[in-house]
Amino acid sequence: MSEIKTLLRPFISLLLICVGVGLAHNTWGLASKLILWATRNPATIAFTTFAREHFPENLFRFEQDCLAHLPLAPYFFVAGVIAGISLVMRFNVLGIFVTLSYATWFSAQIFQMASAFDLHWSDFLPHLVWSLALTPIYLFAALLGRAARIRVRPHWRIRDFLISTAILAALMASIVARIELAISVAVLAFACFVTWVTWTAFPSEPESNPLTQPTGT
């Protein structure tokens, strides 16, 4: 039994890597369908219409950036919440293999495209940074699911609020100035910081999932 458990996690990890690569490669058109559902549903269309009419131009363009670069984020967020509710953190953290393999394969395709059209890879750097933000989004959602499962609310410190506010201020300045790379870096930094401080704000959790426990004698 212990041998099966030892082999199970690498097998699941490999399977999740294949899922991420498949999404980045748009296998069977799956990614296109997911993106279409996320960006053309009635709620998104209504919000985009409201943003176009009421938001400042640069803020509306940022909303369009989010739709263009993070259309799969809602799916990873929901998957993270479900994983957090269902599994202990040591196991549901394996979901990052999907997001990281997606970002890696997406980056490889970007570099191939740049080479094919004689473009410099730095022109696509904001796209790559945006794709990396999917990992902290998934982990943050998993932490929220974990909070609901163990019924513990993470406690942020005043310093955490101040740092997150500073990152948001940098993001807003980048949006106003329309510096694409700075916008993507600020989004990634905010997502990573919020995920990290939320993770460290939780108490330790007993590992009760049988898939992560050694077999007793």
Side-chain angles (χ1 to χ4, degrees):
M1 187 66 176
S2 61
E3 294 179 355
I4 294 178
K5 293 175 182 177
T6 301
L7 293 174
L8 185 58
R9 292 184 69 179
F11 173 76
I12 293 177
S13 300
L14 180 60
L15 179 62
L16 293 176
I17 291 173
C18 292
V19 170
V21 171
L23 282 175
H25 200 65
N26 196 26
T27 304
W28 301 316
L30 178 60
S32 296
K33 294 176 182 177
L34 292 175
I35 291 172
L36 185 63
W37 293 338
T39 58
R40 302 305 299 168
N41 64 77
T44 304
I45 293 174
F47 182 80
T48 298
T49 302
F50 177 84
R52 184 187 299 112
E53 295 175 354
H54 297 91
F55 286 6
E57 180 181 355
N58 284 350
L59 193 57
F60 170 69
R61 292 175 65 181
F62 174 69
E63 186 262 353
Q64 292 296 292
D65 289 340
C66 292
L67 288 180
H69 296 293
L70 295 177
L72 296 179
Y75 303 106
F76 285 116
F77 187 88
V78 172
V81 171
I82 294 174
I85 293 174
S86 307
L87 303 167
V88 294
M89 200 64 190
R90 184 184 296 179
F91 195 73
N92 63 49
V93 76
L94 293 178
I96 67 173
F97 283 115
V98 179
T99 58
L100 291 177
S101 60
Y102 173 87
T104 301
W105 195 259
F106 177 76
S107 301
Q109 291 179 310
I110 287 292
F111 283 117
Q112 183 180 18
M113 183 185 303
S115 176
F117 291 94
D118 288 330
L119 300 173
H120 197 271
W121 65 270
S122 60
D123 296 332
F124 296 94
L125 190 56
H127 302 275
L128 307 184
V129 177
W130 276 99
S131 67
L132 293 174
L134 290 173
T135 297
I137 288 174
Y138 167 81
L139 287 176
F140 179 70
L143 290 170
L144 293 182
R146 180 192 180 201
R149 174 168 55 83
I150 65 178
R151 299 179 182 179
V152 173
R153 184 177 61 183
H155 296 285
W156 280 27
R157 295 164 293 183
I158 297 298
R159 182 184 65 183
D160 300 330
F161 284 104
L162 293 176
I163 296 176
S164 60
T165 301
I167 298 174
L168 282 178
L171 174 59
M172 291 304 299
S174 303
I175 292 173
V176 171
R178 284 305 302 173
I179 305 174
E180 292 189 9
L181 181 57
I183 292 174
S184 60
V185 170
V187 168
L188 177 60
F190 181 75
C192 289
F193 180 76
V194 170
T195 301
W196 171 252
V197 297
T198 304
W199 188 309
T200 56
F202 273 113
S204 60
E205 175 187 6
E207 298 293 340
S208 56
N209 192 296
L211 293 175
T212 61
Q213 288 296 301
T215 304
T217 56

